[in-house]
Amino acid sequence: MKICCIGAGYVGGPTMAMIASKCPDIRVEVVDLNADRIAAWNSDELPVYEPGLDDVVRSARGRNLFFSTAVEDTIRSADIIFVSVNTPTKTFGMGAEKAADLRYIEAVARTIAEVVTEPKIIVEKSTIPVRTAEAIKTILASNGKGLKHQVLSNPEFLAEGTAVADLTAPDRILIGGETTPEGQTAVESLVSVYAHWVPRERILTTNLWSSELSKLVANAFLAQRISSINSISALCETTGADVDEVARAIGTDSRIGPKFLKASVGFGGSCFQKDVLNLVYLCGHFGLPEVAAYWQHVVQMNDWQKRRFSEKVLRTLFNTVTGKRIAVLGFAFKKDTNDTRESASIYVCKDLLEERANLAIHDPKVKPEQIRKDLELATNDSRVSFPATAEEAAAGAHALLILTEWDAYKQLDFEKIYQHMLKPAWIFDGRNILDRAKLEAIGFKVYAIGKPLPEKN
């Protein structure tokens, strides 16, 4: 069997590396038009940072795992074609800021229709709106070749930072296909790939539309839990309750469970906001405005939480940060990844820059050029610096912001940091990872999400 994956990003690269590692009898080739990205996958410095990913790639690369820009040739020879291209939220026209932009999906479908000469199994790996497979099938059928391709839905449920563990022992593999005999045969072909290492009872099969919708719904439910606990964090701060204690209390209820109840400055990443907004658009499109409004508020609450954090910094620092040095620790949207898409840090930093603050930003995995791009900064913008260490970032700062929960930030020498900060020295813990009592004993003033405010202690 030969597998081709179109798209060498955060999903396609790691997923195909795991398939190749677990299925040495299958040739897996990942293709992308971005030559620099392909070169990185073939180098010692992968374009995606995930703990353990280097070892998985090295175990199969050159044996049965290959990365190339030979898109058409690889499509032509493959038995199964995974489509793992970007589906960002539209920024223009009908459905702007909500609907998924499917231009890359359509381009891939047209390329497949043009170059193949025999029936293929095409697998939707990208996160897409329900019934997108219908559009793909229409494009494939319009090429005049009379080929009967099968389109399957196989959404990813990876969490960045734990992708290798998620791929090694997934909660479930979801595969949707048509209920025709041909569709079910195609489903079983893909089942046989995952069955090399995933127990059959964890491989769920559904109809095509259920699979497509399940991905959006899963991310919407997770985002909803985060927005829910973040809304309660604001109430905790004003009443003297502790959001971590509240989360632990309700999380022990077996009907609720403890996961995704960690209050923070807000969720980020490539999926949550995009998928919730996509769900909002679909509900509106299908005449369900009340359902659309319900899910829209999940995103509004997340936006409010980021803005609330920025405003807290501003108000605490005597209602002005103009010319003040603010140390920002963490720019990735979560620890153990270099992905910055929709990171809360972007929004908080932009808010502070608008208030004319000077930012010293440190992140162990995100490169300065990526941060400049995300903040839309000119190369010579002196308001933002990138110290080599967290300690250097904090030196001479009025405040220190924890915006990504990197484990290394828990181990910092805060007594030394305190000595080199301006007084009063503030720490704004947007991830609740630090020991507040120890910091206050040193002399810091500390604001932590969902904790009783210092003046009420």
Side-chain angles (χ1 to χ4, degrees):
M1 180 185 289
K2 293 181 180 179
I3 289 178
C4 161
C5 176
I6 304 172
Y10 282 88
V11 174
T15 302
M16 294 303 113
M18 183 61 68
I19 289 177
S21 175
K22 297 294 187 180
C23 309
D25 56 320
I26 297 176
R27 179 184 173 93
V28 180
E29 190 155 357
V30 184
V31 295
D32 199 297
L33 293 176
N34 187 326
D36 291 339
R37 182 180 297 167
I38 290 298
W41 279 110
N42 284 316
S43 73
D44 292 331
E45 187 176 349
L46 303 182
V48 172
Y49 174 73
E50 282 287 338
L53 181 60
D54 285 359
D55 293 336
V56 175
V57 171
R58 275 196 293 265
S59 73
R61 190 173 59 193
R63 180 194 69 190
N64 67 320
L65 175 63
F66 304 91
F67 298 92
S68 81
T69 56
V71 177
E72 294 187 0
D73 289 343
T74 306
I75 289 173
R76 195 175 288 114
S77 63
D79 301 298
I80 299 178
I81 303 168
F82 283 82
V83 180
S84 185
V85 296
N86 196 17
T87 54
T89 302
K90 284 185 70 176
T91 58
F92 56 89
M94 188 179 298
E97 310 304 332
K98 289 187 176 70
D101 186 343
L102 299 179
R103 74 176 97 171
Y104 304 113
I105 292 284
E106 180 179 347
V108 166
R110 292 189 181 280
T111 299
I112 294 172
E114 180 181 342
V115 304
V116 301
T117 57
E118 57 186 4
K120 305 290 183 181
I121 297 174
I122 294 106
V123 183
E124 302 170 330
K125 200 67 181 170
S126 303
T127 301
I128 53 179
V130 64
R131 301 200 77 86
T132 298
E134 202 163 53
I136 294 175
K137 288 189 292 182
T138 300
I139 293 170
L140 293 172
S142 65
N143 63 6
K145 297 179 182 178
L147 301 176
K148 293 186 177 180
H149 305 288
Q150 292 298 319
V151 179
L152 305 180
S153 169
N154 176 219
E156 55 85 14
F157 295 102
L158 306 179
E160 290 188 47
T162 60
V164 172
D166 296 341
L167 288 164
T168 303
D171 289 339
R172 80 292 202 193
I173 298 292
L174 180 60
I175 302 172
E178 292 189 82
T179 55
T180 62
E182 297 83 0
Q184 292 308 297
T185 298
V187 167
E188 288 306 313
S189 293
L190 188 53
V191 167
S192 71
V193 173
Y194 287 110
H196 278 74
W197 80 97
V198 180
R200 185 60 182 85
E201 61 270 18
R202 291 193 181 184
I203 303 176
L204 310 180
T205 58
T206 67
N207 74 40
L208 202 48
W209 320 126
S210 295
S211 178
E212 286 184 335
L213 185 57
S214 293
K215 168 64 175 177
L216 296 183
V217 173
N219 280 342
F221 270 59
L222 295 176
Q224 177 198 51
R225 284 174 68 91
I226 297 173
S227 281
S228 293
I229 197 65
N230 280 344
S231 72
I232 299 303
S233 73
L235 183 60
C236 287
E237 291 171 20
T238 58
T239 60
D242 184 318
V243 71
D244 285 340
E245 293 178 349
V246 172
R248 181 159 52 93
I250 66 172
T252 56
D253 187 326
S254 60
R255 298 168 300 175
I256 298 173
K259 294 184 178 180
F260 284 79
L261 290 180
K262 182 67 175 175
S264 70
V265 66
F267 62 72
S270 63
C271 289
F272 280 2
Q273 176 164 306
K274 176 179 69 122
D275 290 356
V276 175
L277 290 173
N278 198 343
L279 191 61
V280 170
Y281 177 75
L282 286 171
C283 291
H285 175 75
F286 289 112
L288 302 169
E290 292 83 6
V291 182
Y294 176 84
W295 289 109
Q296 178 72 51
H297 208 73
V298 171
V299 175
Q300 291 174 346
M301 180 57 63
N302 191 53
D303 291 340
W304 178 75
Q305 182 78 341
K306 290 178 287 190
R307 188 169 62 252
R308 188 171 77 88
F309 186 86
S310 301
E311 290 174 352
K312 184 64 181 178
V313 174
L314 178 64
R315 288 197 303 271
T316 302
L317 298 182
F318 312 108
N319 288 314
T320 178
V321 292
T322 300
K324 292 180 179 178
R325 181 180 175 93
I326 309 295
V328 175
L329 301 191
F331 202 81
F333 85 91
K334 63 185 290 191
K335 72 173 184 176
D336 292 335
T337 181
N338 60 347
D339 194 352
T340 63
R341 287 176 290 181
E342 292 298 331
S343 173
S345 295
I346 296 173
Y347 296 89
V348 172
C349 287
K350 283 186 174 181
D351 286 345
L352 295 176
L353 287 172
E354 185 151 336
E355 292 290 338
R356 302 185 179 181
N358 295 322
L359 305 182
I361 304 175
H362 174 270
D363 189 286
K365 291 297 177 181
V366 181
K367 296 179 178 179
E369 51 265 33
Q370 181 63 52
I371 297 175
R372 286 192 178 278
K373 180 180 177 182
D374 289 333
L375 295 180
E376 301 172 318
L377 298 175
T379 305
N380 61 349
D381 194 327
S382 61
R383 296 176 300 166
V384 179
S385 60
F386 305 97
T389 67
E391 290 85 354
E392 289 178 26
H398 290 75
L400 184 155
L401 280 53
I402 302 287
L403 297 183
T404 307
E405 70 278 21
W406 288 103
D407 292 336
Y409 294 153
K410 302 176 187 177
Q411 313 303 326
L412 295 174
D413 185 344
F414 282 101
E415 290 189 2
K416 183 177 179 181
I417 287 175
Y418 180 76
Q419 294 172 9
H420 294 93
M421 287 181 63
L422 296 180
K423 311 300 186 294
W426 273 92
I427 290 181
F428 296 84
D429 188 355
R431 297 291 175 177
N432 285 347
I433 63 171
L434 304 180
D435 188 324
R436 181 174 175 175
K438 287 184 179 180
L439 293 174
E440 290 177 336
I442 292 171
F444 284 105
K445 292 185 177 297
V446 182
Y447 165 78
I449 294 281
K451 304 289 184 174
L453 297 176
E455 59 267 28
K456 292 188 177 183
N457 284 353

